[in-house]
Structures are given as C-alpha cells and as structure tokens.
Amino acid sequence: MSAYLAEFIGTMVLIMFGNGLLAGLTLNKSLSQGANWVVVTFGWGFAVMIGIYVAGAYSGAHLNPAVTIALAVGGSFPWAEVVPYIIAQIAGAFVGASIVILHYYPHFKATPQEIDTHGIFSTGPAIRNTPFNLISEIIATFAFIFGLLMIGANSFTDGLNPLILGFLVVAIGMSFGPTTGYAINPARDLGPRLAYFLLPVPNKSGSDWRYAWIPIVGPIIGGLLAIGLFNILL
C-alpha cells in the first residue's frame, strides 16, 4: 500500500468510527442516543488508535495535517510530501463522513431539523469566544502533538504505541475537549464539514462556516509550538 493510500484509508477509518459514535449519540431512535462525554472521549481515542493501526506500517499514520506540518517543520518529514499527505487526509475524512451519513440515513430522516446535526461532523464552541476558542484548539493540539512526540521518544513493545496514543486522545478529550470539541486535526473537521455541507443529508442544519477556520488554524499553531518545544528539549 502506498503512503498516500494509507493516509486516505487510515483517516477514513478514524472518521468512520469517530463520526459514527457522534451520530449514534445525537440522532433519534439510535440505541446509543444521549450517551455521555466519557463515551465520546473513549470513542475518539479508539477511533484514533484503529486509524493508526491501519496506516502506521505504510505512512507513519499522521492522519492529521497538523502532525504532517509539524514534522516537516521539525525536519523529520520531507516538504515535498506535505501537500499530498494533507490531500489524502482530507479526502479520507470526507469519505469516512459520507459512509456515516449513508449508515445513519434513516436516523437523519427521523431527527427533526431543530436538533443540530452538524456537530456530528464538525466541532463547535460551548461558549463562542473567538480568541479563547482559538486558544483552546492551540492548547489541545499542543498537548496532543507534544505527547505524541514524547511517546515516540520512548521504547514500547511492538504494536503498543497506537494504544498509548489512543489513551492520550482520551485524556485530551477529558481535560481540554469540553470547550470546543477538541478537533486537534484540521482534516477531522474540514473533511466531514464539507461532506455534511455538500451531501443530501435529511433535515440538516447549517455548517457554521464562520467558525470553520479555528479548527484548522488552531491545530496547526499548536503543532508548531509542540515541535518547537520538542526540538529545544531534545
């Protein structure tokens, strides 16, 4: 499998599990409707873990433009590969979200428009405050990528790293996620937001495009700060 295809499939799988979780929690007549934040954080942790297991051997399993850009800035990933990786990640996220829409289609039809379903696919703030929303995404992504880099500096039993990173995502979701939904990944937000906007989702609400730049810019800044500190320390 090529690295680009691995990034596509790994990100697709991540979003299938992550957005699928949120669809089950949100949509009417789903057996898991109304489950709590602990379920959300563990579900996304497992989604990241599975995505890494799928792609890790072939592409390094970035699955996240903020990771790709940070590694390129840090000198451990070639700049020529950055744009193709990011395209594969966003496309994989789009397809993953599309699969979730197909899977839950009858439940979207059973859910009135008054229930805002765009949050299944894209993040949004608990309190809309642009500077602090941006800061929240910067902090959460800094914690994720700095943690990822530090975990990578340690030796684990073969195959254990993705599990550890999954638990890192759980911890970030519990500690830093409740303010903005912790995108920590521009592809995770932009690809599904585009799918929700473009595809014929029954009873869909708006896609909140005026907020959409925050889960893109915030994670990139957070990743750059993380790689900068990592290189200073190590």
Side-chain angles (χ1 to χ4, degrees):
M1 190 185 332
S2 73
Y4 306 141
L5 182 59
E7 286 294 299
F8 174 86
I9 295 175
T11 311
M12 179 188 75
V13 168
L14 187 163
I15 296 302
M16 285 172 58
F17 281 97
N19 285 176
L21 162 78
L22 296 178
L25 268 58
T26 304
L27 298 174
N28 279 359
K29 300 188 178 180
S30 161
L31 298 180
S32 61
Q33 187 179 22
N36 63 27
W37 188 251
V38 173
V39 174
V40 172
T41 58
F42 272 92
W44 275 106
F46 292 146
V48 170
M49 177 192 71
I50 296 166
I52 295 171
Y53 275 123
V54 167
Y58 306 99
S59 69
H62 297 186
L63 315 183
N64 182 340
V67 172
T68 301
I69 292 169
L71 293 178
V73 169
S76 60
F77 187 73
W79 277 104
E81 302 292 321
V82 169
V83 171
Y85 260 54
I86 291 174
I87 291 172
Q89 292 156 3
I90 294 173
F94 184 98
V95 173
S98 302
I99 292 170
V100 171
I101 291 168
L102 177 63
H103 182 83
Y104 280 96
Y105 192 86
H107 295 270
F108 280 103
K109 292 187 73 172
T111 303
Q113 196 171 22
E114 291 74 31
I115 296 178
D116 188 357
T117 55
H118 98 272
I120 295 169
F121 301 98
S122 53
T123 59
I127 297 175
R128 192 173 292 269
N129 183 312
T130 297
F132 281 96
N133 299 155
L134 182 63
I135 289 169
S136 290
E137 283 296 331
I138 291 171
I139 291 171
T141 311
F142 171 85
F144 171 61
I145 295 183
F146 187 73
L148 180 155
L149 293 167
M150 295 302 291
I151 289 168
N154 289 274
S155 297
F156 294 96
T157 301
D158 286 347
L160 190 59
N161 273 41
L163 177 62
I164 302 299
L165 290 173
F167 280 111
L168 173 63
V169 172
V170 173
I172 289 167
M174 289 183 173
S175 299
F176 304 117
T179 54
T180 60
Y182 70 121
I184 64 174
N185 180 344
R188 170 262 178 272
D189 192 274
L190 180 59
R193 194 184 295 264
L194 282 169
Y196 183 77
F197 177 72
L198 294 173
L199 297 178
V201 182
N203 300 321
K204 66 179 171 182
S205 49
S207 295
D208 195 13
W209 285 106
R210 67 192 179 103
Y211 181 81
W213 67 274
I214 290 177
I216 296 173
V217 174
I220 292 172
I221 295 173
L224 294 177
L225 293 174
I227 194 69
L229 180 59
F230 180 80
N231 283 346
I232 290 170
L233 294 176
L234 298 179

